[in-house]
Amino acid sequence: QVQLQESGPGLVKPSQTLSLTCTVSGGSVSSTNYYWSWIRQPAGKGLEWIGRIYTSGNTKYSPSLKSRVTISVDTSKNQFSLKLTSVTAADTAVYYCARGASGYDDYYYYYMDVWGKGTTVTVSS
Amino acid sequence: SSELTQAPAVSVALGQTVRITCQGDSLRRSYASWYQQRPGQAPVLVIYDKNNRPSGIPDRFSGSSSGNTASLTITGAQAEDEADYYCSSRDSSVTHLVFGGGTKLTVL
């Protein structure tokens, strides 16, 4: 059974870089069947997709965050990571990592079937 | 603003049927997936692709689509179905992923 676990600092100062890691257990980030995503959710608000990475290192980012986001994968540690630069209070949220599948079958599809429990990151001085 | 539009809130009487809808032009080319999120918990996938349920999701959950609208139907809603429900799909460029704003379901 695949499990994902987010880790990283819970408090980040404004203008600094937010760094989170997602550790995958019971499965492999090297799998060619899945993508690995980051999603966030400010308190009391909806879900926001941040971006995804494939085992090859191919990435896609949300257009609204693209200039500040980097997602990377470390197959040796079975982890993938998120870096978000120049953070402000608006980046305060619960951050989730998730496993996703994507493709085309009459229609395009992309869904995330395994999620981590989430980690709260607060941006404050 | 989201490319996918959901009603903010819907209510249903216990045991009755409720439909939660999601509208967006991207749904003409992309399947919607649906996520259930209970308070303080991570989202859980309940419907994906045409109308598939992951293992462990009750068969009272079903999905459908017509034109630019995707729907999640709960037939015989239970108290434990009270949660926020989010749709998502590829965006209009089919490059990125977008979420709807979410629908809060209350079971009366």
Side-chain angles (χ1 to χ4, degrees):
Chain A
Q1 180 181 351
V2 178
Q3 293 184 315
L4 280 62
Q5 178 67 57
E6 304 89 350
S7 60
L11 180 64
V12 181
K13 288 181 167 45
S15 80
Q16 293 191 343
T17 296
L18 178 160
S19 296
L20 296 175
T21 296
C22 183
T23 300
V24 179
S25 58
S28 174
V29 293
S30 297
S31 171
T32 56
N33 293 324
Y34 299 107
Y35 290 87
W36 307 94
S37 293
W38 287 97
I39 304 96
R40 70 180 183 179
Q41 185 174 37
K45 297 188 178 181
L47 300 169
E48 179 183 20
W49 180 72
I50 298 170
R52 72 179 195 195
I53 190 165
Y54 191 59
T55 184
S56 64
N58 181 271
T59 54
K60 296 289 184 188
Y61 301 131
S62 167
S64 65
L65 296 170
K66 184 176 183 179
S67 64
R68 299 194 292 131
V69 172
T70 301
I71 297 176
S72 58
V73 65
D74 187 336
T75 56
S76 67
K77 295 182 179 179
N78 216 26
Q79 296 175 334
F80 62 105
S81 299
L82 168 71
K83 290 190 186 300
L84 182 66
T85 62
S86 304
V87 297
T88 68
D91 296 310
T92 294
V94 176
Y95 284 75
Y96 296 100
C97 59
R99 183 183 80 170
S102 176
Y104 183 82
D105 176 15
D106 291 338
Y107 277 38
Y108 292 98
Y109 65 86
Y110 186 78
Y111 59 87
M112 290 164 288
D113 63 343
V114 182
W115 293 64
K117 294 184 186 306
T119 188
T120 299
V121 178
T122 302
V123 178
S124 175
S125 55
Chain B
S1 63
S2 174
E3 291 189 28
L4 298 177
T5 301
Q6 297 183 242
V10 170
S11 63
V12 62
L14 184 68
Q16 296 303 301
T17 297
V18 63
R19 176 174 293 182
I20 298 170
T21 61
C22 174
Q23 287 189 305
D25 285 342
S26 63
L27 297 176
R28 297 184 186 279
R29 293 201 289 167
S30 299
Y31 291 120
S33 54
W34 291 92
Y35 302 87
Q36 175 193 69
Q37 187 179 35
R38 297 188 175 109
Q41 297 185 18
V44 173
L45 179 68
V46 293
I47 292 290
Y48 66 98
D49 287 357
K50 294 178 184 177
N51 180 20
N52 294 325
R53 284 176 287 105
S55 173
I57 300 301
D59 60 6
R60 63 179 179 271
F61 290 88
S62 63
S64 61
S65 182
S66 178
N68 72 337
T69 302
S71 300
L72 172 70
T73 301
I74 307 174
T75 303
Q78 302 299 302
E80 61 265 32
D81 299 335
E82 187 163 287
D84 293 327
Y85 290 85
Y86 294 91
C87 62
S88 77
S89 82
R90 302 278 197 105
D91 68 358
S92 53
S93 72
V94 297
T95 302
H96 309 104
L97 186 72
V98 290
F99 285 97
T103 297
K104 182 176 181 60
L105 175 66
T106 300
V107 180
L108 304 171

